[in-house]
Amino acid sequence: MTAAATAAAAPQPRVPTRRITELLLVVLSVLIAAFGYADVGCAIDGRVPADTAEYAAGLGGLALLAHLAIRLRARYADPLLLPLAVLLNGLGLVAIYRLDRATGSSSAPSQLLWSTLGVLLFIAVVVLLRDYRVLQRYAYVFAFCAIVLMIVPVFLPAVYGAKIWIKAGPLSFQPGEVAKIALAVFFASYLASNRDALALTGRRIWFIELPRGRDLGPILVVWLISSGVLFLEQDLGTCLIFFGMFVMMLYVATGRIGWIAVGLLLVGAAVVPVAVFEPHVHSRFTDWLYPLRSISQGQGAGQLAQSLFAFAAGGLLGTGLGQGHSYLIGFAVKSDWILATFGEELGLVGLAALLLVYAVLVVRGYRAGIMLRDPFGRLLSIGLASLLALQVFVVAGGVTDLIPLTGMTMPFLAQGGSSLVTNWILVALLVRTSDAARRPEPPPVPPDPEPQLSPPEPPERAGTHDPGAAGPRADEPGADQPGAAEPGAAEPGTDQPDRDEPGDDEQTQGVPKV
């Protein structure tokens, strides 16, 4: 047996699916969320809420359905993706319930309904999308849909100072959330097809290799789209996330730092004029530069100042769930500013742990992308993980006064149906790519065996040859019989002198040899 056949016949190492690990982590995530819910009730009412078991059962049932879908259709998926998403979603419900008790509103039940819809769409993507590479065929369809979703709010009235909402009665929808995933699919498809042209040509200036002018076309188109969103919709966060995601994916596809330099220059060229001349964005830049300006003017603490006070009051370990005053922030405390509630009531330790949960979720998405071999899957996984990382950075940076406030919502935590549903779809796509990355390769097909030479046929006996042949073969016994000799050959029984012996001439022809 050859070496290749031996390797093919050898048993392949079994790749663990880690589904039991995933189930245990899902149960732990549900228990943590249920404990937080009970802790809020104890802090406010002095007793455990009567519906704690119902809350835990509802969240646990949704998580179990999602786990079963992964077990049946994506059994090699990363075991940390679903538990981390369940944990973040559960903590978001706890924070919204806590703020409901402080403000007298009732947003937690509707958020639970949006969570149910998000998990159902998660299950639909995992079950129906058997191969993520199908998305590459419809890349330009996704691009067209994303552009339409971003343009429609421009013609609608502004809501909360920005034109990023579509409202229909009591319901509202933020189309930019869905457009982010559609653009991620399109960017991954385009860069996978054109990465060689973008990576192998350029011009070096100092220590940075800049791309060619004609290769700047795609990035200029994305820049124009992002700038249009910023100018027409007064939405700084969406502009930063769109353009930042594309630049990060471009760097991953080409490995050239020059693209990052070009991206930073284009972001500055788009943001600075809007920050100077557009009133809504200008006010956010002013608050970023002078967060205590309203206090010095005798107008009281603004939202950014109240957020900073909440982080300061939390200290290292926090005031405890249900015992903070972050509700004083007022408007959008459950969406844009919900991270201030965690910072005050969980402290620096709890806030760092929360950000680490996001970091692990992003790293697992990067890991799936690195393990994939096809360029589209690699760029799609890294693009989706970068999208999540950018949104967390933009929101956390805004509420801590690191960067100007953008109005984006914290993934999974903040109140908002469109954001929550979109993030569940994002995690479902990461589950699909991680399943393809961890799935074992099929065993190699053993090569065809080498042809064996047949043994030589035994010589046939005399008289058994084909009578129709021209004559006996040279190796047959009958080859020297009378009649078979060549003309001029000596007949048997006659002495024929050796013609090879020296001295064989006419004088010695009749003398017998001694």
Side-chain angles (χ1 to χ4, degrees), residues 40 87 93 124 163 235 243 299 307 345 442 479 512:
V40 170
L87 177 60
L93 290 171
K163 296 182 178 182
D235 186 14
F243 198 72
Q299 301 175 357
S307 175
E345 301 187 358

Side-chain angles (χ1 to χ4, degrees), residues 191-204 209-216 250-259:
L191 294 175
S193 303
N194 300 275
R195 65 186 188 279
D196 292 336
L198 297 171
L200 301 179
T201 56
R203 178 181 301 176
R204 179 174 292 275
E209 189 173 359
L210 297 177
R212 296 181 305 180
R214 60 184 178 183
D215 293 331
L216 286 175
L250 192 59
Y251 172 72
V252 171
T254 61
R256 296 176 60 176
I257 303 178
W259 286 112

Side-chain angles (χ1 to χ4, degrees), residues 455-461 464 473 475:
E457 297 181 359
E460 298 180 359
R461 297 184 179 181
T464 60
R473 295 198 303 265
D475 56 352

Side-chain angles (χ1 to χ4, degrees), residues 91-92 95-96 99 326 332-343 399 410 413-415:
L91 292 177
I96 293 173
L99 294 171
S326 60
V333 65
K334 301 176 186 177
S335 54
D336 298 8
W337 304 94
I338 197 168
L339 198 63
T341 300
F342 286 95
V399 299
M410 201 68 173
L413 294 182
Q415 177 188 3

Side-chain angles (χ1 to χ4, degrees), residues 27 47 62 75 95 106 117 145-146 167 186 222 259 289 293 295 298 380 413 418 421 468 475 485 488 493 495:
V27 173
R47 58 182 176 81
L62 293 175
R75 57 194 308 263
S106 179
L117 178 60
C145 294
K167 294 184 68 69
F186 170 70
V222 178
W259 286 112
L289 295 174
R293 177 174 56 91
I295 298 177
L380 178 62
L413 294 182
S418 54
V421 169
D475 56 352
D495 292 331

Side-chain angles (χ1 to χ4, degrees), residues 58 73 78 199 224 228 267 400 423 472 491 513:
R73 295 297 189 182
D78 194 306
L224 289 174
V267 167
T400 57
N423 286 309
E491 294 182 1
K513 296 171 63 177

